[in-house]
Amino acid sequence: MARIVMKFGGTSVADLDRIRNVARHVKREVDAGHEVAVVVSAMSGKTNELVGWVQNMPKVAGANHSIYDAREYDAIVASGEQVTSGLLAIALQAMGINARSWQGWQIPIRTDNAHGAARILEIDGGEMIRRMGEGQVAVVAGFQGLGPDNRISTLGRGGSDTSAVAIAAAVKADRCDIYTDVDGVYTTDPRIEPKARRLKKIAFEEMLEMASLGAKVLQVRSVELAMVFKVRTFVRSSFEDPDAPGMGDLLNPPGTLICDEDEIVEQEVVTGIAYAKDEAQISLRRLADRPGVSAAIFGPLAESHINVDMIVQNISEDGSKTDMTFTVPSGDAEKALRVLGENKEKIGYDVVQSESGLVKVSVIGVGMRSHAGVAATAFRALAEKGINIKAITTSEIKISILIDGPYAELAVRTLHSCYGLDKS
């Protein structure tokens, strides 16, 4: 017998028939004798609808702005998960399973006070553990918790993944299964490269890089928590037949296991290729090369909640001037330019230049730590395809390359092939 946390995303619970299918997945694990908790998202599209209502309400009510109280935003958008958890509990009860729905504040899942993007501080899993031990399935509304002001808080888009991993850590689960509309983590996006392979295992660090660099399988924060608390996490498909062979395998169910690096015996040099579209590059020309310049640039951007990624600095021959180039999401480019303009005198640059519509392609693998020539292979392969590189950043287990947007798919396929990821 094991203790399992199962999480189902919006497409998995999009309507009553799909919720019934989710209940069949849960019943399979209950019938096998496991203690089970389930975390659910809102029905597909429901959160977007609720967010739209929140954004439109001020103007509908006669205001000449779209400003709203973030605490009320949380109260409204959290209702989507509340509906789903109740419906799944009813479905399980109809199948003869003892089940009860839980909202974030009932557990409670304690968060900080950043409404709309709260972070989990602690979870008291004692009552859930007791009830699970008595055979009751806990159906938890994901994406939500309780702030220090005793109001509902939400964890940001994709927050149900984070809820599931955090609950798995709190109840000391043997496994956390993330059910989604894909059947695992692939070497790259199969929509771009049909030869992409499903990975049997991937290390926490690799998955963290994949998630932060464009892969949409899991929320970044959920991977961080899984890595910190060593929560063995499976990415699985909710659309497979719940009773298909192997679906009830406790140790090796179909899907991709995200685990500690030590569990992976045969580690590839490169595990996957990720990409992020809609990057913008901003360059500040002829800055004074003196202490404090970088802080003068990136401090105001951080205060404006603009996420800066790749940073490249070039020093002039005489050492008196420097150029600073960095990337931001295209949606933040205009805001970033405005902030830089407001701080031009303090920063002391001559000219600012910007370019949008760029793509960041990243090569990821923990095996890169002990192998030379990984970067050279990528640069040579891209050069042979006539793809110009605008910027490069590296870490111990990843290389990120900035290129023009139209070359994104070609670059992904080229890198996927040059590292042999298209071979089974």
Side-chain angles (χ1 to χ4, degrees):
M1 186 182 74
R3 185 174 295 156
I4 299 173
V5 173
M6 308 170 73
K7 181 264 175 180
F8 294 89
T11 54
S12 303
V13 294
D15 54 39
L16 297 186
D17 283 338
R18 289 191 179 179
I19 291 174
R20 174 184 172 275
N21 189 60
V22 164
R24 291 178 60 210
H25 280 287
V26 177
K27 186 176 187 299
R28 180 192 64 234
E29 305 297 352
V30 172
D31 289 346
H34 303 312
E35 296 179 7
V36 178
V38 188
V39 177
V40 291
S41 299
M43 291 174 157
S44 182
K46 179 54 66 176
T47 301
N48 287 339
E49 181 183 31
L50 294 170
V51 170
W53 290 351
V54 172
Q55 292 173 339
N56 290 332
M57 194 68 250
K59 289 187 176 179
V60 170
N64 60 357
H65 57 74
S66 299
I67 300 171
Y68 50 81
D69 189 328
R71 294 167 298 184
E72 303 305 339
Y73 168 94
D74 278 355
I76 294 162
V77 299
S79 65
E81 283 73 16
Q82 180 171 330
V83 171
T84 313
S85 61
L87 288 172
L88 179 56
I90 290 171
L92 290 167
Q93 291 162 6
M95 294 179 178
I97 296 172
N98 180 10
R100 179 219 150 152
S101 65
W102 296 74
Q103 310 314 308
W105 60 268
Q106 291 174 307
I107 294 174
I109 298 172
R110 299 282 182 183
T111 75
D112 62 18
N113 209 26
H115 284 279
R119 293 174 71 89
I120 296 173
L121 301 177
E122 62 176 347
I123 299 176
D124 182 355
E127 182 62 13
M128 281 183 62
I129 292 172
R130 185 184 72 79
R131 293 191 180 221
M132 289 164 66
E134 294 175 352
Q136 186 178 84
V137 174
V139 185
V140 183
F143 175 61
Q144 60 180 250
L146 184 68
D149 53 2
N150 279 331
R151 293 185 63 99
I152 293 172
S153 57
T154 64
L155 309 179
R157 300 308 293 265
S160 292
D161 288 346
T162 302
S163 299
V165 173
I167 288 169
V171 303
K172 297 179 172 56
D174 298 283
R175 201 175 77 203
C176 180
D177 292 352
I178 306 291
Y179 286 83
T180 180
D181 53 1
V182 296
D183 61 353
V185 180
Y186 280 72
T187 49
T188 196
D189 188 340
R191 293 170 298 181
I192 289 180
E193 175 50 87
K195 294 180 182 177
R197 293 182 292 108
R198 187 177 73 188
L199 297 164
K200 190 173 181 62
K201 293 182 179 180
I202 183 171
F204 289 125
E205 288 178 90
E206 293 172 322
M207 191 66 238
L208 187 59
E209 292 285 7
M210 293 277 277
S212 63
L213 294 169
K216 305 298 184 185
V217 178
L218 290 173
Q219 189 200 46
V220 174
R221 179 62 179 150
S222 69
V223 184
E224 290 176 347
L225 285 174
M227 184 165 64
V228 168
F229 293 102
K230 305 296 184 189
V231 177
R232 299 176 82 251
T233 304
F234 276 91
V235 177
R236 306 179 61 177
S237 172
S238 63
F239 298 125
E240 292 189 38
D241 184 347
D243 300 318
M247 289 296 286
D249 189 329
L250 177 62
L251 299 178
N252 295 295
T256 300
L257 172 63
I258 306 168
C259 59
D260 196 84
E261 186 180 338
D262 295 340
E263 283 196 54
I264 304 175
V265 179
E266 296 182 11
Q267 185 64 62
E268 301 287 344
V269 177
V270 171
T271 299
I273 311 296
Y275 69 96
K277 293 183 176 180
D278 295 323
E279 296 281 313
Q281 179 177 272
I282 296 174
S283 298
L284 301 178
R285 304 298 185 191
R286 293 180 289 281
L287 289 154
D289 188 19
R290 56 178 171 76
V293 170
S294 295
I297 296 169
F298 300 114
L301 293 173
E303 291 169 5
S304 299
H305 306 290
I306 297 170
N307 184 35
V308 174
D309 186 16
M310 309 174 83
I311 302 174
V312 179
Q313 184 175 7
N314 298 315
I315 309 299
S316 63
E317 190 173 342
D318 63 4
S320 63
K321 296 290 183 179
T322 182
D323 291 341
M324 186 77 75
T325 299
F326 56 91
T327 63
V328 298
S330 287
D332 288 337
E334 185 177 342
K335 183 179 178 182
L337 292 171
R338 185 173 67 251
V339 171
L340 293 170
E342 292 169 352
N343 291 271
K344 182 176 181 179
E345 187 174 336
K346 181 179 178 182
I347 297 169
Y349 61 85
D350 188 6
V351 177
V352 60
Q353 300 171 331
S354 65
E355 182 179 4
S356 296
L358 306 178
V359 170
K360 178 176 62 180
V361 182
S362 302
V363 179
I364 299 154
V366 294
M368 292 165 59
R369 291 180 180 139
S370 55
H371 288 77
V374 178
T377 300
F379 304 152
R380 183 166 53 249
L382 294 177
E384 289 173 356
K385 297 293 183 180
I387 300 173
N388 186 47
I389 297 173
K390 292 180 171 290
I392 303 163
T393 58
T394 64
S395 75
E396 203 175 22
I397 67 167
K398 76 110 191 291
I399 304 161
S400 290
I401 301 165
L402 192 69
I403 61 173
D404 288 319
Y407 292 97
E409 295 189 8
L410 177 60
V412 168
R413 289 195 296 268
T414 298
L415 294 173
H416 192 266
S417 175
C418 79
Y419 293 112
L421 295 176
D422 52 352
K423 296 178 175 63
S424 58

